């Protein structure tokens, strides 16, 4: 999601993180890059200007320059300002009336119908409502009503429409039906157009006047260009929006224009659509989104922990065994397993500033391949052989292991060579630099 902004932002942030101390010039340089990244992600110019101005003011504050933990402070300023742009508040939906009414509006194809069904599923699943009613009120497109009916059936959610082409009557009747039927939430899916037109707006205003919705949500496609801002402005002027829902954030859309609406119109993003399936809906959290974009947060601590374990604990132990001549085949497997572990986390690691270049695909693939082959071979060895690899020189032992593991003599030799090479390297280190041993600070 939002891959594009993410990559660019993280690259810029990385520069700050690499520096021992940050001066004014560094901040200005990163700010220039971030500005470009945001503009290329199609974030509205006015929004970008506000963002850079705020960050600049705060980051250039003499309080920061020359102080400890500058990186964190600067990163926090970027994050706070990003949160400001994405909207500090979210709009929480609660059942405040029976029934509570949500009106879905937006251009054609933005995802209204899908999102209406997603919302019903979401609220019901979390117990926010008990018995939602989906109302098909798009009377213009021939299959629009059937589309919602299908989704409602599929999810066993109540559904209402009328065959006559009177959108205002359908909306009005739906509220009465909901009262009779004890539906505590009514979600009205209205018609869209390719662009705004007055007839549509008049109809929507009438629907709003007769149904008095508790929430009017504008559904916006993340792939929209800058024109979506004017569209949203018109919807907001005519209908008074309570929130937007940005759909298709799972696509490679840059999303910047849709994300700019919040700041420009002061309308919060409530949910985001992240998939075609009905479970592809998430509550929008501005701070989490900002952290994700900047590459901060949970993932970072997870990686830090993993890297720590891989590098420090296990490697120290293996390193110690190597240095003291106790390194055996079990340790070889352990070190391969560590590299393999990194491979599994490759995709996460790549999201982190500074980590992408540390993950070497070829090395990981090689380790994965060897790990598999060596596992077969080592499993066919006796405990004594594993502890004392010299025994592998014995031809009858070799034949027994080959037969048992089903691996080739070439693979067997590769394992022995690998092991000897590592053991030799370690002996050299041990002889040439005994300080390292002390430096490892090992308690065994
Ligand atoms: N990938 C993806 N597709 C979506 C999402 N939301 C809606 N769509 C798709 O967008 C298309 C238009 O959706 P629809 O609900 O019919 O839009 P409407 O014309 O506004 O009612 C459909 O093919 C949906 O499956 C989303 O969050 N992610
Ligand atoms: Mg529709």
């Amino acid at each position: 999601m939002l891959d594009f902004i993410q990559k660019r932002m993280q690259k810029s942030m990385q520069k700050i993180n690499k520096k021992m101390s940050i001066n004014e010039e560094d901040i200005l340089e990163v700010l220039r890059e971030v500005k470009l990244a945001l503009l290329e992600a199609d974030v509205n110019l006015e929004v970008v200007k506000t963002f850079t101005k705020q960050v600049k003011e705060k980051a250039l504050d003499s309080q920061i320059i020359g102080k400890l933990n500058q990186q964190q402070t600067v990163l926090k300023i970027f994050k706070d300002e990003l949160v400001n742009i994405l909207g500090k508040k979210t709009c929480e939906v609660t059942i405040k009336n029976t029934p509570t009414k949500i009106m879905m509006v937006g251009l054609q194809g933005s995802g209204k119908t899908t999102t209406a069904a997603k919302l019903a599923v979401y609220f019901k699943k979390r117990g926010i409502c008990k018995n939602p009613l989906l109302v098909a009120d798009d009377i213009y497109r021939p299959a629009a009503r059937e589309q919602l009916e299908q989704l409602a059936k599929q999810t066993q959610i109540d559904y209402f429409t009328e065959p006559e082409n009177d959108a205002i009557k359908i909306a009005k009747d739906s509220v009465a039906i909901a009262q009779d039927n004890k539906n505590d939430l009514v979600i009205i899916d209205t018609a869209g157009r390719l662009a705004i037109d007055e007839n549509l707006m008049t109809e929507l205003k009438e629907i709003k006047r007769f149904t008095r919705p508790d929430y009017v949500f504008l559904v916006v496609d993340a792939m929209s260009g800058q024109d979506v801002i004017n569209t949203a402005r018109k919807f907001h002027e005519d209908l008074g929006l309570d929130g937007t829902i940005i759909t298709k954030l799972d696509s490679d859309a840059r999303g910047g224009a849709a994300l700019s609406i919040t700041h420009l119109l002061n309308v919060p993003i409530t949910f985001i659509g992240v998939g075609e399936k009905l479970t592809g809906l998430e509550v929008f959290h501005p701070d989490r989104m900002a952290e994700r974009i900047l590459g901060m947060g949970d993932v970072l601590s997870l990686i830090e922990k993993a890297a720590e374990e891989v590098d420090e604990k296990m490697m120290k132990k293996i390193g110690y065994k190597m240095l003291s001549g106790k390194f055996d085949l079990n340790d070889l497997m352990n070190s391969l397993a560590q590299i393999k572990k990194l491979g599994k986390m490759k995709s996460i690691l790549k999201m982190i500033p500074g980590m992408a270049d540390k993950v070497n695909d070829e090395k990981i693939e090689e380790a994965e391949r060897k790990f598999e082959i060596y596992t077969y071979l080592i499993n066919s060895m006796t405990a004594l052989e594993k502890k004392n690899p010299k025994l592998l020189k014995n031809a009858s032992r070799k034949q027994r292991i080959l037969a048992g593991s089903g691996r080739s003599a070439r693979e067997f030799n590769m394992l022995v060579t690998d092991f000897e090479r590592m053991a030799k390297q370690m002996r050299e280190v041990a002889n040439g630099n005994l300080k390292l041993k002390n430096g490892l600070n090992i308690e065994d």
Side-chain angles (χ1 to χ4, degrees):
M1 184 207 298
L2 293 174
D3 263 3
F4 183 79
I5 307 190
Q6 240 176 18
K7 276 193 200 122
R8 295 287 308 260
M9 289 287 249
Q10 292 182 7
K11 216 170 141 203
S12 300
M13 290 300 137
Q14 204 178 332
K15 285 197 177 155
I16 285 189
N17 278 328
K18 273 186 185 157
K19 302 238 170 179
M20 294 294 281
S21 70
I22 309 168
N23 60 31
E24 193 172 320
E25 195 58 37
D26 299 325
I27 292 174
L28 290 176
E29 192 196 326
V30 168
L31 209 49
R32 269 194 300 275
E33 284 176 13
V34 166
K35 190 173 167 180
L36 272 178
L38 291 173
L39 286 173
E40 276 178 47
D42 215 14
V43 176
N44 182 271
L45 181 61
E46 199 183 311
V47 177
V48 176
K49 278 185 180 162
T50 313
F51 176 78
T52 43
K53 183 167 164 280
Q54 301 289 351
V55 173
K56 199 163 155 183
E57 269 173 23
K58 289 191 181 168
L60 292 185
D61 188 323
S62 56
Q63 302 276 313
I64 293 167
I65 309 278
K67 289 277 158 63
L68 287 173
N69 289 331
Q70 295 168 306
Q71 280 90 345
Q72 280 93 325
T73 315
V74 171
L75 200 60
K76 185 170 183 313
I77 293 170
F78 270 95
K79 190 202 140 182
D80 289 348
E81 291 313 315
L82 203 53
V83 171
N84 268 342
I85 295 300
L86 293 170
K88 264 180 278 189
K89 55 176 182 157
T90 42
C91 163
E92 213 171 299
V93 174
T94 53
I95 301 297
K96 40 185 168 183
N97 294 308
T98 34
T100 291
K101 290 148 280 178
I102 297 176
M103 179 174 169
M104 310 290 288
V105 300
L107 296 183
Q108 193 168 307
S110 58
K112 288 180 301 302
T113 305
T114 316
T115 310
K118 281 180 179 179
L119 284 175
V121 171
Y122 183 92
F123 292 133
K124 195 175 168 186
K125 205 167 168 184
R126 281 163 186 76
I128 293 164
C129 74
K130 286 197 182 69
N131 188 18
L133 176 70
L134 283 166
V135 181
D137 205 11
D138 178 356
I139 55 172
Y140 301 100
R141 280 201 287 174
R145 278 176 273 196
E146 284 79 5
Q147 186 193 350
L148 190 64
E149 186 177 3
Q150 289 276 322
L151 293 173
K153 276 196 182 140
Q154 195 183 313
T155 50
Q156 293 171 310
I157 283 171
D158 287 354
Y159 165 82
F160 176 79
T161 194
E162 284 164 358
E164 296 80 26
N165 290 336
D166 186 343
I168 295 154
K169 185 169 177 296
I170 295 175
K172 245 196 306 190
D173 289 351
S174 75
V175 178
I177 290 284
Q179 256 143 9
D180 290 348
N181 199 34
K182 299 208 167 24
N183 295 106
D184 50 353
L185 181 68
V186 179
I187 303 175
I188 304 171
D189 177 31
T190 66
R193 299 275 198 283
L194 287 174
I196 287 197
D197 75 45
E198 278 313 316
N199 289 340
L200 170 75
M201 276 305 170
T202 308
E203 181 181 290
L204 293 175
K205 280 194 265 188
E206 287 291 284
I207 294 173
K208 183 178 177 188
R209 190 159 72 89
F210 283 107
T211 57
R212 300 170 156 271
D214 301 273
Y215 305 95
V216 180
F217 287 149
L218 176 71
V219 180
V220 182
D221 183 334
M223 288 191 262
S224 322
Q226 290 296 318
D227 52 337
V228 77
I229 291 163
N230 288 327
T231 307
R233 186 171 283 125
K234 175 78 175 145
F235 270 105
H236 192 37
E237 278 166 8
D238 285 1
L239 297 165
L241 301 174
D242 295 284
T244 62
I245 298 173
I246 302 183
T247 60
K248 308 183 198 178
L249 271 175
D250 53 309
S251 65
D252 53 11
R254 299 188 170 184
L259 290 172
S260 301
I261 295 173
T262 307
H263 181 71
L264 295 171
L265 303 184
N266 197 21
V267 173
I269 302 166
T270 53
F271 290 92
I272 51 176
V274 292
E276 283 187 60
K277 288 196 190 133
L278 292 183
T279 46
L281 185 78
E282 290 174 9
V283 175
F284 180 72
H285 295 287
D287 52 338
R288 280 189 217 166
M289 177 68 97
E291 283 178 2
R292 249 195 256 184
I293 290 175
L294 294 172
M296 299 160 72
D298 291 356
V299 188
L300 196 59
S301 53
L302 185 91
I303 297 308
E304 274 165 2
K305 229 173 108 194
E308 241 169 57
E309 269 183 40
V310 169
D311 290 336
E312 315 258 318
K313 262 207 218 125
M314 185 53 92
M315 284 313 186
K316 261 186 190 172
K317 211 169 163 193
I318 294 170
Y320 172 67
K321 285 195 154 185
M322 284 172 162
L323 291 176
S324 57
K326 287 188 208 154
F327 182 67
D328 61 25
L329 284 169
N330 292 317
D331 300 318
L332 176 71
M333 288 308 282
N334 274 335
S335 65
L336 284 174
Q338 293 300 314
I339 305 173
K340 213 179 113 177
K341 200 150 112 197
L342 278 176
K344 278 216 183 89
M345 295 164 62
K346 203 162 52 185
S347 57
I348 312 174
L349 282 166
K350 283 192 171 156
M351 286 166 55
I352 305 306
M355 287 303 256
D357 27 324
K358 286 191 188 155
V359 192
N360 181 330
D361 283 348
E362 270 172 47
K363 269 208 180 110
I364 290 166
E365 271 166 35
E366 195 191 324
E368 277 169 357
R369 217 177 47 242
K370 282 186 175 174
F371 187 83
E372 204 184 296
I373 298 170
Y374 293 177
T375 306
Y376 284 117
L377 285 165
I378 291 174
N379 282 344
S380 295
M381 294 177 191
T382 63
L384 195 66
E385 285 163 349
K386 283 186 225 172
K387 283 263 173 219
N388 189 1
K390 278 190 189 124
L391 295 177
L392 300 180
K393 299 245 183 283
N394 179 302
S396 71
R397 284 182 188 266
K398 179 176 171 180
Q399 281 316 314
R400 195 202 76 244
I401 293 165
L402 289 184
S405 65
R407 308 308 308 193
S408 68
R410 192 184 58 81
E411 288 165 336
F412 180 90
N413 294 340
M414 186 165 76
L415 167 62
V416 175
T417 314
D418 259 0
F419 176 77
E420 281 177 349
R421 187 168 40 84
M422 280 177 95
K424 182 167 168 267
Q425 276 171 1
M426 283 305 121
R427 271 196 306 275
E428 279 166 9
V429 173
N431 294 335
N433 189 0
L434 283 168
K435 269 193 202 125
L436 182 69
K437 186 176 175 181
N438 300 329
L440 282 174
N441 189 22
I442 301 153
E443 336 84 294
D444 193 38

